[in-house]
Amino acid sequence: MSSTPTTTGSSPLARAAAIAAAFAIVGGVIVVPLASVFFEALAEGPAAWWRAIAHDPDTRHAIWLSLTVAPVAVAFNTVFGVAAAWLVARFRFPGRSLLISFFDVPFAVSPVVAGLAIVLIFGRQGLLGPTLEWLSLKVIFSWPGLVLATTFVTLPLVVRELIPVMEAIGPEEELAAVSLGAGGWQVFWRVTLPNIRWALLHGIVLANARAMGEFGAVYVVSGHIAGATDTMPLRVEKLFQEYRTPASMAVASVLASIALVTLIVKFVIERRIEAEFHEREGLAPPADSPAVASLAIASPKEAVA
Amino acid sequence: MSLSVRGITKSFGSFKALDRVSLDVPEGTLLALLGPSGSGKTTLLRIIAGLESADAGMITENGEDVTDLHARRRGVGFVFQHYALFRHMSVFENIAFGLRVRKEPEAAIRERVNELLHLVRLDGLGGRKPSQLSGGQRQRVALARALAIRPKMLLLDEPFGALDAKVRVELRQWLRRLHDEIGMTSIFVTHDQEEAFELADRVVVMNHGKIEQHGSPEEVFDRPATPFVIDFLGQVNVFHGRVEGGRAFWHGIPIDFPEYPHAQSREAKVYLRPHELDIDRPGIPGQETRSLPASVLRVTPGGAVTRVACRTAAGGEELYVDVPTDKARGLALLPGERVAITPRKARVFLPGPEYVI
């Protein structure tokens, strides 16, 4: 990069200033606030931190709730995402573009609006209220509502990740499998899934991070009941409102740690995706595999050997 | 296995890819579907494999109706144009795939795959990933994978299209030998007439979703059934002429055409292949009744034949003559020189509804 002359006529000094500014902004807006969360959380020492996390039953419940709601929502998104992406990538049908646009609605709509919409349908006064009451099912102010709201806001993450990958791979390998005698499930498990596995994992990791951190939609449907429907982000906010800043920051630091782990996993997966992309393009992966290069030269003769 | 295709029709929206195509392929034939892109040849191949369904028509294998049989039960080996190798599997697992989904015992799979690796001369490369192979090697893995399930028939879609020229020639000679050894009914799609003629026992020329001609390579080349066929099989000079009384006339030079014995004169199109024209210096006795005066435009040497572009003195039409390079050296033609062109052979097509290109 440094040796690449640019046509914009920027001097090395200007470039260095721009880079420094970028680091300063990222540092000021992202790194410092994030670091301060950990700083505040641990201000009274690790023992106090641990007490705040583990010895408050409402906080314990909030952590447990987040750890159960998010996986269910992510699992639903995974199944839906794979099926919907396959449908959209493999078939051309009327309304296909419209369907793809609808996948993005949860990104466009404010989570609070999404939460309200769910209340309007599943709440006691809602469209399905009487039916649910008759079935003695409680959705709003309870676990199913949390799952529903979380699923809604994370819906695009897996499907959006898979559509371009499936389109790039194309249907030929699946057709080859069929012509070799494979049934539908065999094609899926042996050909389709292995080909999309890294993109799928990437989508799952993103969806999980979003599900863990979701606040707005969950806030509306949960009713904010401590020890019952408070997830981790809701717990952080409640503790903060009750002027229990260290406890609030302790829970926040758990959320932030999840985010950091997500970031690392995401980075590793992206490296894998990039490597597979190069493989697909028939390019030799970066110089660690000299066998590939020599093979390419030897091949024309080998073909007739 | 013998294959019979009856009245197959297929449309994609308003585009008619195949229009009532019928074709018989006897047991053990190596057949080429030859045509330009969009002629329907690949669609026909995919329908035969069951990968695409026909709107109308019937396909039988050994007399048995398989039109509605699912692709996975056809037992047909299909080699895709870009190979469609399973990129995440090793070469070994690619070839083993058809056997694994049939739940064959591990030992039998191992034996069969090794046998095939040997057949396609990829011994020892079973552990490689497809991305670590050259184009020609990938092609042979695709072939081995298709053969692993002991198919009744082998279908290949543009099998050499993605390879460079040298590998292509070597691989097609190898495929011909392989076919002679196995003797399996095989159909391949190509847009390269040289490839079709070198490899196939039978050639089917397709255009606009229809079969223009079906015959041995010699038949198709020597007796093209339609103007499209003669046009498609290499460069040809086309002129307007006339027919009457069993002869066609090209600028007054008669050419035998017994298919039109009538006395009434009619317009016709005369097709002259460059290698079926003779070129000489003017002044040979009797030449004026058989030859057309012309002048040389360009001389393009190229291997065994030298191509000479000429312009006829009458009408000023441009045409090409292929001269054996030895003879061309003897003549030592230069641009602007006057020459006499004599047709040895010509094909004449009367304008008619069936000959509209």
Side-chain angles (χ1 to χ4, degrees), chain B residues 274-280 321 327 340-344:
Chain B
H275 70 274
E276 289 169 351
L277 292 170
D278 275 339
I279 194 164
D280 286 295
V321 182
K327 186 185 172 186
I341 294 167
T342 316
R344 285 197 307 272

Side-chain angles (χ1 to χ4, degrees), chain B residues 8-333:
Chain B
I8 289 290
T9 298
K10 174 77 181 177
S11 298
F12 296 106
S14 60
F15 176 71
K16 202 156 212 178
L18 291 172
D19 187 6
R20 283 162 295 159
V21 168
S22 295
L23 176 66
D24 284 300
V25 187
E27 165 95 50
T29 311
L30 179 51
L31 179 134
L33 292 176
L34 174 65
S37 56
S39 61
K41 54 195 195 303
T42 293
T43 306
L44 180 59
L45 196 77
R46 291 171 88 101
I47 288 174
I48 292 170
L51 295 172
E52 198 95 63
S53 63
D55 298 337
M58 190 166 90
I59 296 189
T60 62
E61 292 172 1
N62 288 336
E64 189 186 331
D65 185 358
V66 297
T67 316
D68 296 322
L69 195 65
H70 192 271
R72 70 177 290 216
R73 308 201 187 284
R74 289 275 174 108
V76 161
F78 198 99
V79 177
F80 288 81
Q81 185 177 2
H82 300 291
Y83 321 134
L85 297 179
F86 306 127
R87 70 196 74 189
H88 62 280
M89 290 183 205
S90 66
V91 167
F92 185 97
E93 285 305 319
N94 262 280
I95 299 172
F97 186 88
L99 307 169
R100 291 225 187 278
V101 299
R102 280 173 177 71
K103 310 246 183 324
E104 292 201 9
E106 184 63 32
I109 292 176
R110 205 151 280 283
E111 192 188 327
R112 177 75 179 144
V113 173
N114 284 326
E115 183 187 318
L116 281 159
L117 280 171
H118 183 68
L119 180 77
V120 298
R121 295 182 321 237
L122 291 172
D123 304 82
L125 294 185
R128 293 266 174 90
K129 282 284 184 71
S131 57
Q132 297 171 309
L133 299 179
S134 71
Q137 290 171 328
R138 288 180 205 182
Q139 172 65 277
R140 284 179 283 149
V141 174
L143 200 61
R145 184 178 70 176
L147 290 172
I149 58 170
R150 300 182 198 278
K152 296 173 283 180
M153 182 164 63
L154 188 61
L155 305 176
L156 307 105
D157 185 8
E158 297 271 5
F160 313 109
L163 301 171
D164 54 62
K166 192 165 172 284
V167 180
R168 187 187 302 203
V169 172
E170 291 158 351
L171 203 54
R172 78 185 179 219
Q173 288 163 353
W174 177 78
L175 186 69
R176 177 71 236 190
R177 286 199 301 276
L178 187 74
H179 179 266
D180 292 341
E181 277 171 39
I182 309 177
M184 187 187 303
T185 310
S186 310
I187 302 177
F188 71 97
V189 156
T190 180
H191 60 263
D192 181 346
Q193 49 121 346
E194 194 187 316
E195 195 170 289
F197 285 173
E198 184 177 324
L199 204 52
D201 305 319
R202 309 284 294 170
V203 175
V204 170
V205 185
M206 294 188 67
N207 186 33
H208 290 315
K210 290 185 170 176
I211 292 179
E212 293 271 336
Q213 190 170 6
H214 178 193
S216 68
E218 294 76 28
E219 277 166 359
V220 172
F221 194 76
D222 291 339
R223 293 189 294 284
T226 67
F228 172 80
V229 176
I230 192 169
D231 242 356
F232 190 70
L233 301 185
Q235 186 139 25
V236 67
N237 303 299
V238 189
F239 300 100
H240 287 288
R242 303 196 66 75
V243 284
E244 71 178 80
R247 292 195 298 179
F249 293 90
W250 172 52
H251 289 298
I253 298 166
I255 301 156
D256 282 342
F257 187 54
E259 288 91 336
Y260 188 84
H262 315 289
Q264 192 201 3
S265 176
R266 254 187 96 179
E267 279 196 25
K269 269 194 171 166
V270 180
Y271 289 79
L272 300 161
R273 287 209 172 112
H275 70 274
E276 289 169 351
L277 292 170
D278 275 339
I279 194 164
D280 286 295
R281 290 193 183 279
I284 299 169
Q287 204 177 39
E288 59 277 5
T289 57
R290 316 179 260 110
S291 308
L292 200 69
S295 58
V296 175
L297 289 174
R298 287 182 302 280
V299 180
T300 317
V305 288
T306 297
R307 175 153 288 186
V308 185
C310 302
R311 193 191 298 281
T312 57
E317 294 158 320
E318 210 170 302
L319 80 166
Y320 293 98
V321 182
D322 280 351
V323 190
T325 296
D326 289 347
K327 186 185 172 186
R329 285 219 185 88
L331 286 170
L333 294 169

Side-chain angles (χ1 to χ4, degrees), chain A residues 82 162 165-166 169 191-201:
Chain A
V82 171
L162 292 182
V165 174
M166 281 199 172
I169 289 172
V191 178
T192 311
L193 193 60
N195 274 343
I196 60 167
R197 62 189 191 274
W198 292 110
L200 180 61
L201 204 58

